[in-house]
Amino acid sequence: MVENVRRAMAITARLNRLTFDDADEIRALFSELTGRKVDESFSLIPPFHTAGGDEIRVGRNVFVNQNCTFYDLGGLDIADDVMIGPNVSIITAGHPLEPSQRRSITIGKPIVIERNVWIAAGATIIGGVTVGENSVVAAGSVVTRDVPPNTLVGGNPARVIRSIGD
C-alpha cells in the first residue's frame, strides 16, 4: 500500500503542475495513475489528489473540476457523463470506530457514481455509497447512504429533497 501511495503522489505531483490548456497531458497522466486509458472526452482541472489511483475507473465525458480528492482504496467507479464540481471529496477508505483498531486497520468500501450524475461543489461522498443515475448532490452535502436515481439530495447527512427529471 505504501508503494502505491508513493507512486500516486509522484504522478499527481506531475499532474498538478499542469494547467487547463494541458488536457492531453492531463489525460495521459490520469491514465498512468489509474492504469487504464481514459477517453478523449475526459476532462480534469488540477489540482487533484488521490491515495492510490489504481482503483479509479472513469467513463466517457467525465468532468472533474479543480481541487478534488478521490481516496480509492475501496474502488471508485464513475460512469459516463458525470460532472464533479470543485472541492469534492470521494472517500472510499475509513477506520474502525473501536479505538484500539483505528491505527491498525483501513477499511475500503466501494463507491459507484452512475451515469449522468452531477456532484456539486464541496460535496463529500463516503464509502459504500451508490449515487443513482441522473441524480444531483447539492453543494456541501455529505452523502452517507445510497442516492436513488433521478433525485436531488442535500444536507449533512444528505437526504432526498425531491425527484428530478427531464
Side-chain angles (χ1 to χ4, degrees), residues 7-18:
R7 180 193 69 83
M9 298 285 289
I11 294 168
T12 56
R14 292 179 7 233
L15 183 134
N16 288 337
R17 287 192 288 269
L18 301 175

Side-chain angles (χ1 to χ4, degrees), residues 81-83 113-119 131-135:
D81 302 314
V82 169
M83 298 187 313
I113 311 296
E114 293 183 347
R115 193 185 71 75
N116 205 34
V117 165
W118 171 28
I119 303 171
V131 180
E133 184 173 7
N134 298 318
S135 292

Side-chain angles (χ1 to χ4, degrees), residues 37-98:
K37 184 170 178 4
V38 295
D39 191 80
E40 291 297 314
S41 61
F42 174 79
S43 180
L44 179 143
I45 302 173
F48 173 80
H49 309 281
T50 188
D54 59 334
E55 295 295 328
I56 299 171
R57 287 165 290 291
V58 296
R60 295 179 307 106
N61 200 33
V62 170
F63 172 71
V64 180
N65 212 321
Q66 60 191 352
N67 206 37
C68 288
T69 300
F70 295 178
Y71 273 49
D72 61 306
L73 175 69
L76 172 55
D77 288 315
I78 301 172
D80 296 345
D81 302 314
V82 169
M83 298 187 313
I84 300 174
N87 300 307
V88 167
S89 295
I90 301 177
I91 312 296
T92 68
H95 299 279
L97 293 177
E98 181 61 42

Side-chain angles (χ1 to χ4, degrees), residues 25-44:
E25 266 188 274
I26 290 169
R27 278 190 291 277
L29 284 170
F30 199 85
S31 294
E32 182 182 342
L33 180 68
T34 63
R36 297 167 189 84
K37 184 170 178 4
V38 295
D39 191 80
E40 291 297 314
S41 61
F42 174 79
S43 180
L44 179 143

Side-chain angles (χ1 to χ4, degrees), residues 137-153:
V137 176
S141 298
V142 178
V143 179
T144 60
R145 292 186 293 234
D146 288 351
V147 174
N150 303 301
T151 58
L152 167 64
V153 299

